Amino acid sequence: MLDKTYEPATAEDKHYAKWEQTGSFKHGQNTSEDAFTIVIPPPNVTGSLHMGHALNNTLQDVMIRHKRMQGLDVLWQPGTDHAGIATQMVVERKLGAEGIKRRDLGREKFLEKVWEWKDESGGTIINQLRRLGASCDWSRERFTMDEGLSAAVLDVFVRLHKEGLIYKDKRLVNWDPAFETAISDLEVIQKEVQGNMWHFKYPVEGEDGVFLTVATTRPETMLGDSGVAVHPEDERYKHLIGKNCIHPLTGFKLKIVGDDYADPEQGTGAVKMTPAHDFNDFEVGRRHNLEMINVMTPTAHMNDDVPEKYRGMDRFECRDAVIADMDELGFYAGKEDHVHMVPYGDRGGVPIEPYLTDQWFVDAKTLAEPAIKSVEEGRTKFVPENWTKTYYEWMRNIQPWCISRQLWWGHQIPAWYGPDGETFVEKTEAEAIAAAEKHYGKTVELTRDEDVLDTWFSSALWPFSTLGWPNDTPELVAKHYPTDVLVTGFDIIFFWVARMMMMGLKFMDTEPFHTVYVHALVRDEHGQKMSKSKGNVIDPLELVEQYGADALRFTLTSMAAPGRDIKLATSRVEGYRNFTTKLWNAARFCEMNECVVTNDFDPKDAKATVNRWIVGEVAKTRIEIDRALSSYRFNDAASVVYQFVWGTFCDWYLELAKPLLNSDDEAAKAETRKVAGWALAQILKLMHPFTPFVTEEIWEKLGDKPEELLITSEWPQYGEDLINEDVVKEMEWVIGMITGIRSVRSEMNVPPSAQVPMILNGASDQAKGWLETHWVLLSRLARVSESSVDAEAPKGALEMVHDGATVALPIADVIDLGQEKTRLEKAIKKVEGELKKISGKLSNEKFLANAPEAVVEENKARLAAEQDACDKLKASLEKIVAAM
C-alpha cells in the first residue's frame, strides 16, 4: 500500500541503492546492436555540485534513461578531471595551514600528498550527482590521471610531436604570478578597474625637440619597450618610419615602424611596442623583428634586464618609480582617468601578465581544419544552431595552443633534454635514453622537462581514452565511439568541444559525437547571473533536501528551452513538487479503487468511450515525448508529460471514470479498473526519465507487473493505431462543455453547490446524442440539474457558444443579477485604478532610467496581467447586462 504522503528522502536513498546493486546503470545489459553513448563532461575533482551541473546532468540522464528503456545498449561514461591548478591550489593551501610549502617537500612527496587528498576528499561531486539521480555506469568511472588515460596522453603527445604538430616555442602566454604558471583563457577573469592612462614623450633620435607621445595603463612595462608603431599612411609620422626614438630610462633605441595596428584616430596615433608583455605588440614585433625584452620574473618582480635601480621591485612599485622618474626627466605628459578591463587569474586572484616564455604548443590551426569541415558538412551539428557561428569564429581564427603548465600536479611532459639542450620526446625514460644514445653515440645524462600538460589536453581525448584507447579494446571502441550527443555549456565550446573534435578526427578518423547540445545558463528569478558576491546562488542540494530530486529535475527540464536562459525561482521547484504529489495521489486513488496492472490486458480491447479515449491519449503522449526528445526539445517533452498527467489523466480521466467505477455494470467497472491501472503504469514509464524516484516508488507498489524494476522496463511502443479520432472528438466535446459551463459559473459567482438547468440550442444530431450519452458525467461535473434541447431560453439566462451550438444557463433564480452587476462594476473600477498607477510608472522617464531592469519588467508583467483581468471582468459584465 502507498503511504498517505510521498517521502522523497527515503525513496531516493532506497531506490538509488537498489539500482546500483542490481547493475541497472551498466552498459551491456541490453543486447541490442544499437548503442547510445554519452560522455559526462568530467567535473573537476575539487568541485561540488552547482546549478549548472544539475541542469547539464539532468538533461543527460533524461536521454540516458529514455534510451535505456527503449532497449539500446546504453553507456553513460562518468569520471572526473584532475584539474591541475585547482587541485594543486587546494593541496598547497592545506599544507600551508600546517606551515608546509610545496617546494620544501619536493615534487615526489608533494604529489603523494595530492594523491592522498584525492583519495580522501576528491570526487565529492560524484556522490552529489548520485543524489540527483544520475544513472551513469559507475563501474566504468574514470579519472584523467588514471593509468590507462595517462597512457593515451603519452601516446598522443609523442605522435603529434613526431609529426611536428607539437613543438616548443617562445611566445606570449597568460601568466599567473601567484602560481608562477601559464594559464588558459578560461582561467582568466576580466575585471573592470578604475585606473589611469599615463602619457609619456619619447624623443626622436637626431630630431632635436621632436617627440612621439605614447600612452599606457602599465608604465612598468615601458622598461621592455623596443619600438614605436605609427600608421604607414599617417602624414604626421610617415617621414619618421625607419628612424628611432630613444628610451629616456633605458637608453635603448626604439625602432619606429609603420603598421596598420596603429590607429591614427586613437590618441596621438603613436603606439609604444612592448612585444614581450602585450599580445598585440607581440604580433607587431614579429612582423617587424622588434626585440622581445622580458622585464619580469615569474613572480612579477622586475628582472635583471631592466636598469639596476628597478631590479627586484614589485611590478606596481616599479610603476610608481617609472612615472616619478619620467616626470623628473621632463618626459611625463600627464594622465587621465581610465576605466578598463584588467585580466585576473581566477585561482591566484592577482592580475595576470602577458609573459614571454618558452612553452610547448600544439599546431591547432592544422588540427582545426578537418574539425571545421566536419561541422560545415553537417557530420556534427550544434543545437541550438546559432552556436555553429561561435564555433567557426573561434576555429577559423585559432592560435597555437599552449599546452604546458609550470605545475607539479598533472601529466608530466614526456620530454628529456641532453647536455647541449637537444630534446628527446618519447613515452618512457628508457626510450628517451635509447634515442639519446643513438643521437650522441654514447650514454649521456638526461634531464626531464618539469612542466605538466594543460588539463584540457587530457580531457580532449575523453571520448576515446575512457574506452581504453590505445589499448586493445576494439569491441568497446567500435560500439561506443563515436558517442552520440554531448551536453555542455557554451563557455567550453572552444576549450573542450573543439579540442575533442580535433583529437577525435586525428586519432579515431571520425568525429567524437554527431550532436553538441549547448544548454543555457541557470540564472536567478530576476534573470541575474548567480554569484557569491551577489548572494543569489541557489544550491541544488538544498532544493533536493527541501523538495526532492524529482521536483528539481522536472523544473530544470521543463525550463530548458533551446537558447533561452533559465530564470529559476524556488516557487517553480515547489510547484513541480506539487506535481509529484498529484501523481502520488492519483496512484493512491487507483490503488483504493483496485485499478492495477494486469498482464493479460490489451488496451485495444477497451469498449467504453472514456476508456478508449484515455488509451489514445496515452499513445499520443508517448509519440509526442519521443518526437520532442529526438530533437532535444526537453522543455516540450516535459510540458507534454505535465499536461497529460495533471490535466488529462488526473483532472479529467479519473473524474470521468468515477461513475463507471461506482456503477452496477460489473463489466464496465472491471474494464475501467484495467484501463486506469494500465494508463497509470504507462504514465510511470513515460515520466521515469524525468522523475525517476517517485515513479520507481509507485511502480514498486503496483500489482501484477511483468517487469520488476521500472528503470529497466520496456519503453511503451504503441502507436497511432490506438488513437480513435471519433472518440477524441466526442470526449473533447464533453470536456469542452463541462469546462465552458464551469467557466461561466465561476465568472458569475454561482455558488459551487447550486445546480442550474441548461438549454442546448442549434446543436447537431451527433451533439444531441453525446449530451444524452454523457448526461451523468455532465450533470455531476458541471453541476447541471436538467437539460432541454431546442427550447427558448428564459430571461435571466447566460449564454455561451460551444461547438457551434448555444448553451443557455438560466441563473436568475440562483444569483441576484443586479447585485452581481454592481460587484463587477466595482471590481472593474478598482482594476482600472491599478492600471492607471502602473501605466504612470512606466511612462515616467525618471523611473525607467533609475529602476533595475528586473523591476521594470515586473511592472510590465503586472500591467499585462491587470489588463487581462480588466478585459475578463468587462466581458462578464456584458453577459450580466445581456441577461437582465
Side-chain angles (χ1 to χ4, degrees), residues 468 470-474:
N471 295 325
D472 189 23
T473 54

Side-chain angles (χ1 to χ4, degrees), residues 766-807:
Q766 186 181 51
K768 292 173 184 177
W770 291 340
L771 175 63
E772 184 177 349
T773 301
H774 299 287
W775 172 246
V776 173
L777 290 175
L778 285 165
S779 62
R780 190 173 69 83
L781 297 179
R783 305 295 292 164
V784 179
S785 58
E786 59 183 281
S787 67
S788 304
V789 175
D790 294 331
E792 185 178 346
K795 190 171 179 59
L798 294 177
E799 293 186 346
M800 71 175 206
V801 176
H802 177 56
D803 194 34
T806 301
V807 180

Side-chain angles (χ1 to χ4, degrees), residues 469-511:
W469 184 95
N471 295 325
D472 189 23
T473 54
E475 290 183 8
L476 194 62
V477 172
K479 192 163 193 178
H480 294 288
Y481 188 92
T483 67
D484 287 273
V485 57
L486 178 78
V487 179
T488 187
F490 67 89
D491 53 335
I492 55 174
I493 291 175
F494 176 68
F495 292 95
W496 190 44
V497 177
R499 288 163 180 175
M500 283 191 288
M501 290 283 286
M502 290 189 279
M503 294 301 191
L505 285 159
K506 175 66 178 174
F507 291 96
M508 306 298 288
D509 297 321
T510 188
E511 301 78 10

Side-chain angles (χ1 to χ4, degrees), residues 188-195 217-218 338-344 351-352:
V188 175
I189 300 171
Q190 298 292 337
K191 294 184 180 180
E192 187 175 87
V193 172
Q194 177 64 59
T217 59
R218 300 159 66 218
H338 182 66
V339 177
H340 61 125
M341 303 304 290
V342 175
Y344 278 72
I352 64 107

Side-chain angles (χ1 to χ4, degrees), residues 380-391:
T380 296
K381 65 176 182 177
F382 283 83
V383 179
E385 197 275 334
N386 61 287
W387 289 111
T388 305
K389 183 180 178 183
T390 302
Y391 175 81

Side-chain angles (χ1 to χ4, degrees), residues 17 27 43 91 133 232 351 420 460 563 575 579 601 611 649 774 790 870 872:
H27 83 286
V91 178
D420 58 356
F579 179 44
F601 175 69
N611 289 333
F649 183 74
H774 299 287
D790 294 331
C870 190
K872 287 179 178 176

